[in-house]
Amino acid sequence: MDYSSGKYGGTESTDILYIPLTGRYETGRWAFQLTVPYVRITGSGNVTQGGIVLRSAQTTRTTEEGLGDVVAGATYNAYSETGPNPLLIDLTGKVKFGTADEKKGLGTGANDYSAQMDMYKTVGKFTALGTVGYKVMGDAPGLQLDNVFYGSVGGVYKFSELTSGGLILDMRQKVTPTGAPQRGLTAFVSHKINQDWKAQCYVVNGFSDASPDWGGGAMLTRSF
């Protein structure tokens, strides 16, 4: 579950509740993932999930809810070192299907495509991580959306065999000609409950008009 609130360059806040159900299947060097989300947005009707301004703001705050954009992805572990300080490199392709209702302002109504590379380097109890990617924005009716580079950099520290925490800085170019780049810092803590269950909670602070002012969430994972 993820909840965020921000003005996104306007005068009124937009509050977004995002509850995804995600399945991930791993086999060999491959991993496949599918996310089906529920989204509820309360605001002036001009901001969708991801901080994209869709249209001019309304004078009355409304609440819209429903199915969000379904996302499918495939990841290939291109490089994997062994030893005490391994380096891992993953290559991922994603498709964001425009399943969210654009008439309700829940999405753009277009399919987006992205490719990214993730790198992880472990030294002792610390793991440095970084992501660089490129997203091709679909043709959304009535909107001019630009293709963008995005990325992140951060680190994770292993406090114990069961608990770890870290910081991640996320960045993205502006999606619309009149928009702003996206900047946000996430702090998180992850705890392994037992062999099958893991819990994670996080808080977010945004630094631009394309990011929420603040946010937070929690995730529960069950492995089989």
Side-chain angles (χ1 to χ4, degrees):
M1 182 183 69
D2 178 276
Y3 183 84
S4 63
S5 179
K7 293 185 178 179
Y8 299 95
T11 58
E12 298 287 337
S13 64
T14 295
D15 306 323
I16 301 176
L17 175 65
Y18 182 79
I19 305 177
L21 178 63
T22 299
R24 179 180 173 92
Y25 177 75
E26 299 181 6
T27 175
R29 288 180 173 266
W30 287 93
F32 303 92
Q33 185 168 299
L34 182 69
T35 299
V36 181
Y38 160 85
V39 62
R40 186 183 72 193
I41 301 179
T42 299
S44 54
N46 67 324
V47 179
T48 186
Q49 174 71 20
I52 300 176
V53 178
L54 297 176
R55 61 179 74 87
S56 299
Q58 303 172 7
T59 56
T60 303
R61 287 174 61 83
T62 60
T63 297
E64 299 288 357
E65 60 185 331
L67 175 68
D69 290 324
V70 174
V71 180
T75 298
Y76 178 72
N77 177 228
Y79 183 78
S80 181
E81 282 184 343
T82 58
N85 302 314
L87 170 67
L88 303 178
I89 299 177
D90 289 340
L91 302 177
T92 298
K94 294 181 182 179
V95 180
K96 187 222 75 176
F97 299 99
T99 51
D101 192 339
E102 70 273 17
K103 295 180 181 178
K104 292 183 177 181
L106 301 179
T108 65
N111 297 346
D112 301 334
Y113 308 88
S114 60
Q116 69 184 55
M117 179 174 64
D118 299 288
M119 296 161 285
Y120 311 88
K121 176 63 178 180
T122 299
V123 179
K125 294 184 178 182
F126 179 77
T127 298
L129 52 89
T131 296
V132 59
Y134 187 74
K135 177 178 285 189
V136 177
M137 307 297 293
D139 294 329
L143 294 173
Q144 181 181 346
L145 301 177
D146 298 328
N147 302 334
V148 293
F149 283 100
Y150 63 91
S152 63
V153 62
V156 182
Y157 185 80
K158 192 173 183 179
F159 298 106
S160 68
E161 290 299 317
L162 300 178
T163 305
S164 60
L167 293 171
I168 299 177
L169 176 65
D170 294 302
M171 299 160 282
R172 188 192 69 193
Q173 290 180 309
K174 61 181 183 179
V175 175
T176 61
T178 58
Q182 192 175 70
R183 302 286 186 271
L185 183 66
T186 300
F188 67 91
V189 175
S190 179
H191 179 72
K192 189 174 182 179
I193 301 171
N194 54 39
Q195 184 177 355
D196 301 324
W197 290 93
K198 182 174 70 173
Q200 184 180 92
C201 60
Y202 60 91
V203 292
V204 178
N205 185 24
F207 305 123
S208 78
D209 288 342
S211 302
D213 297 331
W214 61 271
M219 179 170 61
L220 187 64
T221 303
R222 171 72 160 95
S223 300
F224 299 91

